[in-house]
Amino acid sequence: MEGRMTSLEATMKASSTMASSMVRNADPDQQTLRSNSVEQFYFPRPGQSLPGIPPFFGPPSSSLYLPNDNEAKFGNQFESNPSQNTDWDPQAIVSNLTFLEQKIKQVKDIVQSMNNRENQVAGGSSELAAKQQLITADLTSIIIQLISTAGSLLPSMKNPLLSSNPAVRQLGNTLGSPMGFGMNANQRPSVDSKTDIPDTGKTSDYDELMNNLNTAQDERDELIKCPNPCGGEGSEPTPMEDHDVKESDDGGEGENLPPGSYVVLQLEKEEILAPHTHFCLICGKGFKRDANLRMHMRGHGDEYKTPAALAKPTKDSGADHAPVTRYSCPFVGCKRNKEHKKFQPLKTILCVKNHYKRSHCDKSYTCSRCNTKKFSVIADLKTHEKHCGRDKWLCSCGTTFSRKDKLFGHVALFQGHTPALPMEDVKVSEASEQPHDSEPMNEMARSMVYSFPSSSSDGISNLDMKMADDVRGYFSPLSFDPCFGALDDFTRPGFDISENPFSFLPSGSCSYGQQNGDS
Amino acid sequence: MSRQAQKLDSAAGDGAVGIGVLSLDLLGQVLHGLWEPRDRKACRLVSRAFERAEAAHRRALRVLRREPLPRLLRAFPALELLDLSACASLDDASLAAAVAGAGGGLAGLRSVCLARANGVGWRGLEALVAACPKLEAVDLSHCVSAGDREVAALAAAAGLRELRLDKCLAVTDMGLAKVVVGCPRLEKLSLKWCREISDIGIDLLAKKCPELRSLNISYLKVGNGSLRSISSLERLEELAMVCCSCIDDEGLELLSKGSDSLQSVDVSRCDHVTSEGLASLIDGRNFLQKLYAADCLHEIGQRFLSKLATLKETLTLLKLDGLEVSDSLLQAIGESCNKLVEIGLSKCSGVTDEGISSLVAQCSDLRTIDLTCCNLITNNALDSIADNCKMLECLRLESCSLINEKGLKRIATCCPNLKEIDLTDCGVDDAALEHLAKCSELRILKLGLCSSISDKGIAFISSKCGKLVELDLYRCNSITDDGLAALVNGCKRIKLLNLCYCNKITDTGLGHLGSLEELTNLELRCLFRITGIGISSVAIGCKSLIELDLKRCYSVDDAGLWALARYALNLRQLTISYCQVTGLGLCHLLSSLRCLQDIKMVHLSWVSIEGFELALRAACGRLKKLKMLCGLKTVLSPELLQMLQACGCRIRWVNKPLVYKD
């Protein structure tokens, strides 16, 4: 009896203030008083409202973990940004860009007027040549302005803090590497001039233009700093090439260069994988710092020793012989390797870098969303991450779709195919719901065996009820675990209202009564 | 029926050999003729032969509790129809275990009803479907937690023909796609309230289930695109799209381009549908039989009327609830559709005696006339209905307060088949009931708010209408215990009885009610004279009681709950708000009633928090709906509330002051 009582007390502990209320309730003489006093129990009391919550009712650890993890990652990626961007001045960039805008408009107007003139008068005149010169000069200044604007961003990318973070380092590379592109863009026209053999007139025109450009470059000291005119134009290969097409629409853009019509450069794989941003136009060697590149350039000849000579690196090495440069992959057996029978050269150093990493390196960047897709080029990962998780529409055949209607169209088309329910979701929902659901609930249900006293020995009879029940009838339903169907065998013995009218009483007035009785 | 059973009883009594020699097949045939479960039970109890015969021949089974399910499935191997909708505390584990225990016993099962079986998830369904290769019909309606997983489990039943998913709130296009791919022979499908389903899902449905005959897309957020897809269904006969606000006339026009099979269309409460759209729909449909357009039309265009006339031969049902009508319109409808069997003009403004007489003059086949709230009509309208519609079975006249006993006399005299009449708030008196008593076929009689009806009127009804099944005496507060005594004297088949606010009724009256053995639903709201004694006699006598409303029966105390706990074993819904019960009674009640699934207990001022806590723990797992005072939300232990929710119980917290009224 004592043991039972203590366990009962334990159940009641949470609201011990109520301990005597049932006894009071049971007393019919206090009806009015009772209804008043019980009324207030409906409202939460500060002490009672929050009994200790068992740990498994807190948020499931898995769901807690995930957001935290993400947060940490985001934090890593972005926390150094404020310090990193200290040395670039938005105001300056804005004013630079405004200047560029105006300049481009000017040039556009001139070109348009030239175009009109050309339509009227077929033959080119000296006036036309003068205008062309003007345009080249303007374009050059635009390019320089652009480069210097973009260049102001570069140092910030080389923040030593970030070098420990491969992602950002790679980002820096990508931003920096268009230098290689710029070189390509600079050289492409001459490639075209070589390949388009029949169109000699145009070729010469073009050469002239290039020369003009180079002369114009002479006058600009800034160019020394950034020898690649098209430098900061863009970081993605495709738009870059489009741009090229537009610029060199006088020459075919086909890459079917006859073998031998270009110089093949093959960089060492260390060079390719090095996080360089400055490349030697002659040997392809890369450098982390432009100053080092300039020091290196001196080794290619005395002409690079003066700033003026540095400003026009291609001029002397020849509009006539070397400028078409293509690249070979250092991986022997690769189609992009010059030893290969059907060798297909790579156009730019960026192409080499991306090709080498994609084809011959480990895929070290894993998508943090799907944890399955891996990439060796960070830009590829970024592109993937934009779409990752969108392909959530999965067919039973394994095909994924980014849109539900596409999946349904597929399912409609193929007999027997059916949408696959995302398993992750199920797991997640199981992980998050089941804890509340079955397992702990069952556990809890098991533990909640009611601690009603199961005997009616005490004689408390302060309930004035006309209904009666035998002991078993009253107690058994309460002393079994309701969730587990123990009621099955609950038999109902004969029930007679007039018989043993008080035998049921002890039960509910229960412990309280017993307490009284025992004490 | 029970006479039949008695005869069989006596046959068994005379010589058990007599029945024992008959083959099981013959006995099965005999049992087949018995419709009432009570009679079958009687047979089963008197003879082992019958018991064996029933075990072998029983086709349908409705299980009320989880615990005997495995045993029952083993006992009746020939089951074809299994109804688990009322099975308390059914969950995955118990269903799977029962199905596994039945072995091959479920091989013949064709139809399973799991409506409102909230606890059943995909694991249980998977086990069920795997065990029942012949499964043809499944009802999952109102399993609000059922989602794609559950529906996908059903998709394994390749022979499925009927599926109801009403209010399976979590079902999306994906789940639907699983089903339509898995069950290509689907013929009837209800997706009512599956709000996640979109045009894409419906489109796939139309492509994959060409045999679909009946489709319900009510309350879905689908648009006209769905109707374009649906129009490709060659065999579609019934289409319900209640309250699809994205569907408009354009969609109906798309639908009209489909096949001619459509027989029934429901566009009720589709806000953007007009009579023009319906006209274009009818244009292609010369076989349309039923047209539900309740609460969606604002006016009827001439084109619609002319198209309606093309349905002269086929249209049997027309619902125009909430429309503003005129006499000429009703006349035109009457002339266009003279084969009408049912017309709904509920809450139509402008319905007059002239309109009704010109309508019914043409439509002599009318069996159901709904004139709810057409408060302009008088006895003249009833006269013309009585004169023209000899077949009338159902007449709804709620709030038609201008009618009186004279009109009803005509109806009662001329329409001997009348089965249902709604006279709520019509202010009729005993004289009217005297006339209505002539309708010996009457099943449903609604007399709510007719406070002048007295015991005398009830006595008239009771004397003739022995088939009465439903009687509504809401706020007929002149009725006393004597009226109830008279009622139970004649109307022994009553299943539904509403006595709310008939506050002259005392325990004596309830004592009379105790003889209504078939009573299932009893509402006794605000009968402050009744006590536990009266409840006891109801609980003891009305063995079929399923729903009981005792709200504001201030004198009902624990004694009543004890009796209910002991005798009302089938009780499923109970309202004891404001009753004078204590925690003790509540604990006992909730732990004893194993079918109880829905309990409303607001303002039980005598029950302590422990009382609630223990009572709810005792009933946890069985309860599906619970209504309590919101102050309890914070004082009940959170584990308990979470456990309740985990068992599929929805709790409604109310917050209102305790006011005693009578």
Side-chain angles (χ1 to χ4, degrees), chain B residues 340-470:
Chain B
L340 275 184
V341 169
E342 178 172 351
I343 186 145
L345 297 170
S346 165
K347 303 208 173 184
C348 288
S349 56
V351 178
T352 62
D353 290 347
E354 289 74 31
I356 292 296
S357 34
S358 52
L359 173 75
V360 295
Q362 307 286 333
C363 307
S364 53
D365 292 340
L366 275 173
R367 284 164 200 250
T368 301
I369 302 177
D370 188 350
L371 296 172
T372 301
C373 297
C374 297
N375 44 22
L376 298 177
I377 64 160
T378 67
N379 287 334
N380 294 336
L382 295 188
D383 287 349
S384 44
I385 289 174
D387 289 341
N388 291 288
C389 312
K390 304 289 181 200
M391 317 272 278
L392 194 68
E393 288 179 2
C394 170
L395 183 59
R396 299 199 183 99
L397 296 168
E398 182 183 341
S399 289
C400 298
S401 45
L402 298 179
I403 61 159
N404 60 28
E405 70 277 2
K406 293 196 183 81
L408 291 173
K409 181 183 181 187
R410 195 72 168 269
I411 292 279
T413 320
C414 301
C415 308
N417 288 328
L418 198 67
K419 291 194 171 71
E420 175 182 350
I421 187 160
D422 185 349
L423 295 170
T424 305
D425 207 8
C426 289
V428 295
D429 54 16
D430 291 343
L433 295 188
E434 185 176 4
H435 300 306
L436 275 180
K438 284 181 200 144
C439 304
S440 56
E441 293 295 313
L442 210 57
R443 304 283 200 281
I444 301 176
L445 178 57
K446 295 189 177 174
L447 299 168
L449 295 160
C450 300
S451 50
S452 51
I453 288 175
S454 70
D455 297 343
K456 221 168 116 192
I458 299 297
F460 288 130
I461 292 295
S462 153
S463 63
K464 300 273 178 55
C465 307
K467 295 180 178 172
L468 205 63
V469 168
E470 180 178 348

Side-chain angles (χ1 to χ4, degrees), chain B residues 315-359:
Chain B
L315 197 71
T316 56
L317 184 150
L318 184 60
K319 271 204 177 294
L320 298 170
D321 302 2
L323 179 70
E324 194 172 325
V325 298
S326 61
D327 295 348
S328 57
L329 177 70
L330 288 177
Q331 186 174 8
I333 290 174
E335 283 163 4
S336 312
C337 324
N338 46 23
K339 290 273 194 290
L340 275 184
V341 169
E342 178 172 351
I343 186 145
L345 297 170
S346 165
K347 303 208 173 184
C348 288
S349 56
V351 178
T352 62
D353 290 347
E354 289 74 31
I356 292 296
S357 34
S358 52
L359 173 75

Side-chain angles (χ1 to χ4, degrees), chain A residues 476-477 480-481 485-491, chain B residues 67 591-592 594 622:
Chain A
S476 47
F480 80 107
D481 174 359
L487 259 176
D488 286 7
D489 333 324
F490 173 38
T491 53
Chain B
E67 296 81 20
S591 56
S592 303
R594 282 174 282 174
R622 268 174 269 143

Side-chain angles (χ1 to χ4, degrees), chain A residues 463-514:
Chain A
L463 270 178
D464 185 22
M465 284 187 147
K466 292 291 170 266
M467 295 301 287
D469 201 351
D470 62 324
V471 177
R472 179 168 157 75
Y474 181 69
F475 284 118
S476 47
L478 288 171
S479 55
F480 80 107
D481 174 359
C483 292
F484 287 84
L487 259 176
D488 286 7
D489 333 324
F490 173 38
T491 53
R492 290 168 178 275
F495 172 60
D496 191 343
I497 293 179
S498 60
E499 230 173 53
N500 57 352
F502 294 116
S503 58
F504 69 99
L505 285 174
S507 48
S509 51
C510 50
S511 57
Y512 313 115
Q514 276 177 348

Side-chain angles (χ1 to χ4, degrees), chain A residues 12 15 18 21-22 25 31 34-35 38-39 41-45 48-49 51 53-54 57 393-394 404-405 407-408 411-412 414-421 423 426 430 434 436-437 441 444-445 448 450 452 463 465 467 469-470 473-474 477-478 482-485 487-488 490 492-493 495 504 507-509 512, chain B residues 66-67 122-123 148-149 152 173-175 177-178 181 196 198 200-201 204 207-208 536 540 558-560 562-563 565-567 569 580 582-584 587-588 591-594 603-612 614 617-622 629-632 634-635 637-640 642-643 646-647 658 660:
Chain A
M12 299 302 178
S15 44
M18 302 295 297
S21 71
M22 271 182 122
N25 279 355
Q31 278 188 13
R34 188 182 322 134
S35 50
V38 176
E39 205 30 41
F41 294 137
Y42 290 116
F43 303 101
R45 301 171 166 204
Q48 265 185 326
S49 55
I53 301 167
F57 284 117
W393 305 107
L394 175 68
K404 185 164 72 171
D405 53 334
L407 166 64
F408 277 58
V411 167
F414 295 99
Q415 208 63 40
H417 288 212
T418 163
L421 299 181
M423 286 312 285
V426 173
E430 271 172 34
Q434 294 296 345
H436 304 283
D437 230 298
M441 278 303 159
M444 191 161 59
M448 278 182 195
Y450 301 105
F452 269 71
L463 270 178
M465 284 187 147
M467 295 301 287
D469 201 351
D470 62 324
Y474 181 69
L478 288 171
C483 292
F484 287 84
L487 259 176
D488 286 7
F490 173 38
R492 290 168 178 275
F495 172 60
F504 69 99
S507 48
S509 51
Y512 313 115
Chain B
R66 179 183 77 175
E67 296 81 20
W122 60 274
R123 292 182 187 86
D148 290 344
R149 272 325 272 180
D173 287 336
M174 296 295 275
K178 289 295 253 189
V181 171
E196 301 295 318
S198 70
I200 299 171
L204 189 70
K207 283 176 182 153
K208 291 285 183 184
S536 306
I540 294 168
D558 277 2
W562 287 77
R566 170 109 328 216
Y567 292 109
L569 300 183
Q580 226 182 37
T582 69
L584 194 58
C587 284
H588 186 41
S591 56
S592 303
L593 288 181
R594 282 174 282 174
H603 283 301
L604 297 187
S605 320
W606 295 34
V607 180
S608 64
I609 294 166
E610 285 76 29
F612 278 114
L614 291 168
R617 290 193 176 196
C620 189
R622 268 174 269 143
L629 210 59
C630 72
L632 285 171
T634 41
V635 292
S637 69
E639 314 99 281
L640 173 65
Q642 293 208 18
M643 192 158 71
C647 297
L658 177 63
Y660 288 103

Side-chain angles (χ1 to χ4, degrees), chain A residues 9-78:
Chain A
E9 273 169 0
T11 26
M12 299 302 178
K13 207 191 273 175
S15 44
S16 55
T17 49
M18 302 295 297
S20 59
S21 71
M22 271 182 122
V23 179
R24 271 195 286 123
N25 279 355
D27 189 343
D29 296 329
Q30 294 182 356
Q31 278 188 13
T32 46
L33 199 156
R34 188 182 322 134
S35 50
N36 289 339
S37 65
V38 176
E39 205 30 41
Q40 64 189 354
F41 294 137
Y42 290 116
F43 303 101
R45 301 171 166 204
Q48 265 185 326
S49 55
L50 279 175
I53 301 167
F56 52 77
F57 284 117
S61 57
S62 61
S63 67
L64 254 182
Y65 172 70
L66 209 62
N68 281 350
D69 191 34
N70 281 346
E71 222 174 323
K73 277 184 186 167
F74 284 126
N76 264 347
Q77 277 182 12
F78 297 118

